[in-house]
Amino acid sequence: DVKVTQSSRYLVKRTGEKVFLECVQDMDHENMFWYRQDPGLGLRLIYFSYDVKMKEKGDIPEGYSVSREKKERFSLILESASTNQTSMYLCASSLRGVKSYEQYFGPGTRLTVT
Amino acid sequence: EDKVVQSPLSLVVHEGDTVTLNCSYEVTNFRSLLWYKQEKKAPTFLFMLTSSGIEKKSGRLSSILDKKELFSILNITATQTGDSAVYLCAVVSNSGYALNFGKGTSLLVTP
């Protein structure tokens, strides 16, 4: 059974703190993605990775960085959290090739920055 | 700029009704269109459509793509309260990896 897990379901941080969101998949997927989801804006891609140590910017990478040291783990880092980064963060993974569009999502982390 | 537009934004129907959700797109180098269902948490994959005119079906849900007119529809027949969710349409972007999502249609099925 396909499984994507995220380290926290709910997180509250203060402005200026460094925040790590972790995502792990057990499906041996090559591709991994980080999205944020906001009311009225839908899901927007922050970063994605198609291989270990590889990363590509998505539509809204400003204020974020990522790390992929192992195939199964993809981390999203907020270097200095700000209130406009309060959001639902969703991680996803997919295979390479023709199946790459079928992304499997984790349960999400609701981050509040105060 | 790639664009994916879903309509309506929200919909309330009675159990047993049939609903049609719409997704139109403007994407460079279109590859595929996908439908997801999102209940309280993670979106779950429903369909992937790549060719025009071929209906994909799963139980009471079906979907079809029109590549000439650049849209897709998702039909749900004999709706049930468990169909209440946000339905997301996504199109594969030029990069071939990432999905470009619409804002979703929120469906509420009342008993």
Side-chain angles (χ1 to χ4, degrees):
Chain A
D1 200 19
V2 163
K3 199 131 186 219
V4 181
T5 56
Q6 294 183 229
S7 50
S8 306
R9 292 298 307 278
Y10 300 94
L11 209 52
V12 180
K13 295 290 181 181
R14 291 191 183 275
T15 301
E17 278 193 86
K18 191 167 185 175
V19 181
F20 292 87
L21 303 183
E22 302 283 337
C23 175
V24 178
Q25 49 93 5
D26 65 359
M27 298 163 287
D28 203 33
H29 283 174
E30 289 86 4
N31 302 327
M32 295 188 77
F33 307 83
W34 275 107
Y35 294 89
R36 63 177 281 178
Q37 187 174 28
D38 301 287
L41 295 175
L43 271 109
R44 293 178 292 166
L45 181 67
I46 305 171
Y47 267 98
F48 66 97
S49 167
Y50 52 89
D51 205 346
V52 175
K53 297 195 187 293
M54 306 304 289
K55 60 185 179 185
E56 292 281 344
K57 290 180 181 178
D59 299 318
I60 50 162
E62 297 78 20
Y64 303 94
S65 62
V66 290
S67 171
R68 188 140 180 231
E69 296 297 317
K70 291 186 178 181
K71 189 176 185 181
E72 67 270 18
R73 189 178 296 268
F74 191 34
S75 303
L76 180 70
I77 303 151
L78 287 66
E79 294 289 340
S80 176
S82 63
T83 53
N84 64 12
Q85 292 178 309
T86 291
S87 187
M88 170 69 89
Y89 290 88
L90 289 162
C91 173
S93 71
S94 71
L95 286 167
R96 196 171 284 163
V98 293
K99 287 281 192 178
S100 65
Y101 313 143
E102 289 182 36
Q103 294 183 13
Y104 294 88
F105 284 82
T109 295
R110 186 166 291 284
L111 172 67
T112 302
V113 182
T114 61
Chain B
E1 188 183 312
D2 294 347
K3 201 189 294 187
V4 180
V5 178
Q6 292 187 246
S7 63
L9 287 181
S10 65
L11 196 53
V12 181
V13 301
H14 292 297
E15 249 185 333
D17 287 351
T18 293
V19 297
T20 299
L21 310 183
N22 303 289
C23 177
S24 64
Y25 62 89
E26 292 174 29
V27 176
T28 310
N29 294 334
F30 173 86
R31 297 192 189 194
S32 293
L33 183 144
L34 293 92
W35 285 97
Y36 283 83
K37 177 182 181 182
Q38 186 176 24
E39 295 174 85
K40 292 214 163 88
K41 37 187 186 176
T44 53
F45 172 79
L46 292 173
F47 299 114
M48 182 169 75
L49 302 147
T50 305
S51 303
S52 263
I54 298 175
E55 186 183 52
K56 292 272 180 110
K57 203 168 166 65
S58 175
R60 295 175 295 102
L61 276 67
S62 63
S63 183
I64 198 158
L65 175 68
D66 186 329
K67 286 166 77 172
K68 186 178 171 191
E69 300 297 330
L70 308 183
F71 77 92
S72 173
I73 58 171
L74 175 68
N75 275 324
I76 310 174
T77 58
T79 51
Q80 302 171 356
T81 54
D83 295 326
S84 296
V86 174
Y87 290 84
L88 298 167
C89 170
V91 177
V92 179
S93 73
N94 207 21
S95 71
Y97 294 109
L99 297 176
N100 191 350
F101 281 89
K103 293 179 183 176
T105 292
S106 177
L107 173 66
L108 177 63
V109 182
T110 60

